């Protein structure tokens, strides 16, 4: 009986040794898997941190650009490609009397229609649809019906594929400058006459 018990104990010990070896092997495999996954997570975390930093920098740049556009004295009008107004800066409301909400969805021509002939607008649209910048003077009527002259540029904005997606008009009221120029010219004429 004693021999049987010793044999059984020996077999159990051998079985336990095998199981222990298998467990140690599994533990090493698990440690390798954990190490590998930890390295992947560290790499992904690093990439995510870089992306977050880039996004934060992009947001700061966007906020800076928006602040600049909102605070310049020049009128800025952005249209879609049709072109219908999708954005105006505060200087637009100050010069025209129309709020951004009132302007949205309207054509920029509506403020100038009776002040220019159709060839004038055809020239602008032909130029910008060719992908070129149009520069010139535009007469505009504000909400009260007062007409003023603006020095303007209208620029097509393209997407990464080269398709025009927006137009940006930047305009500056030059009415007072033109009046001073006219007065100066008149004064020069009077002085020449004597």
């Amino acid at each position: 009986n004693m021999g049987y018990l010793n044999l059984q104990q020996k077999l159990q010990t051998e079985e336990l040794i095998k199981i222990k070896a298998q467990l140690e092997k599994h533990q090493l495999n698990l440690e390798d898997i954990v190490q590998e996954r930890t390295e992947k997570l560290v790499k992904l975390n690093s990439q995510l941190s870089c992306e977050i930093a880039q996004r934060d920098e992009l947001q700061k740049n966007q906020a800076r650009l928006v602040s600049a556009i909102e605070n310049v004295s020049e009128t800025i009008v952005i249209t879609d490609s049709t072109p219908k107004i999708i954005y105006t800066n505060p200087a637009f409301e100050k010069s025209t009397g129309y709020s951004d909400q009132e302007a949205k969805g309207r054509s920029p021509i509506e403020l100038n229609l009776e002040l220019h002939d159709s060839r004038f607008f055809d020239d602008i649209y032909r130029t910008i649809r060719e992908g070129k910048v149009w520069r010139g003077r535009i007469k505009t009527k504000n909400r009260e019906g007062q007409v003023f002259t603006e020095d303007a540029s209208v620029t097509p904005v393209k997407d990464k594929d080269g398709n025009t997606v927006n137009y940006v008009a930047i305009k500056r009221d030059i009415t007072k400058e033109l009046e001073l120029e006219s007065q100066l010219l008149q004064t020069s004429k009077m002085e020449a006459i004597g």
Side-chain angles (χ1 to χ4, degrees):
N1 235 0
M2 196 58 136
Y4 175 74
L5 284 175
N6 281 342
L7 181 62
Q8 195 176 15
Q9 197 174 24
K10 185 177 177 185
L11 288 173
Q12 286 175 345
T13 302
E14 287 175 2
E15 186 67 29
L16 285 173
I17 290 172
K18 284 182 186 176
I19 291 172
K20 182 181 177 189
Q22 287 175 342
L23 284 174
E24 286 173 350
K25 184 178 177 184
H26 284 300
Q27 182 178 359
L28 288 174
N29 284 341
L30 284 174
E31 286 175 1
D32 287 346
I33 291 170
V34 167
Q35 178 67 29
E36 185 180 308
R37 289 188 179 168
T38 300
E39 288 171 3
K40 284 181 182 178
L41 285 172
V42 166
K43 185 177 178 182
L44 288 172
N45 189 40
S46 176
Q47 289 173 338
L48 184 60
S49 293
C50 285
E51 288 175 14
I52 289 171
Q54 288 172 346
R55 187 195 69 212
D56 288 347
E57 186 63 27
L58 182 62
Q59 287 175 338
K60 285 178 188 174
N61 285 340
Q62 287 175 332
R64 199 174 9 257
L65 287 171
V66 167
S67 179
I69 289 170
E70 294 284 318
N71 288 291
V72 295
S73 59
E74 288 79 9
T75 297
I76 298 177
V77 177
I78 301 174
T79 70
D80 59 18
S81 60
T82 60
K84 296 289 182 206
I85 296 171
I86 59 173
Y87 170 83
T88 62
N89 71 339
F92 173 86
E93 183 172 357
K94 186 176 178 185
S95 66
T96 66
Y98 296 102
S99 71
D100 183 57
Q101 286 304 105
E102 291 173 303
K104 281 184 181 171
R106 295 173 71 183
S107 167
I109 292 175
E110 290 179 41
L111 296 174
N112 316 81
L113 191 55
E114 58 197 52
L115 303 172
H116 298 280
D117 62 19
S118 63
R119 287 179 302 186
F120 178 81
F121 295 110
D122 290 344
D123 177 54
I124 293 173
Y125 286 117
R126 183 179 56 257
T127 302
I128 62 177
R129 286 198 173 113
E130 289 174 356
K132 299 175 186 170
V133 176
W134 179 89
R135 287 183 175 82
R137 291 183 175 169
I138 297 177
K139 289 187 182 200
T140 302
K141 187 187 286 188
N142 67 16
R143 182 182 286 256
E144 286 76 40
Q146 297 169 318
V147 176
F148 57 98
T149 304
E150 296 176 297
D151 221 3
S153 68
V154 182
T155 306
V157 177
K158 299 181 181 289
D159 65 12
K160 63 180 175 152
D161 298 323
N163 302 313
T164 300
V165 292
N166 297 100
Y167 297 102
V168 176
I170 301 174
K171 304 183 290 179
R172 183 175 63 86
D173 185 348
I174 59 168
T175 306
K176 289 180 182 165
E177 292 170 26
L178 292 175
E179 288 171 1
L180 285 173
E181 191 177 288
S182 176
Q183 288 174 3
L184 211 63
L185 187 60
Q186 189 66 26
T187 303
S188 294
K189 285 181 183 178
M190 296 300 271
E191 286 176 357
I193 294 174

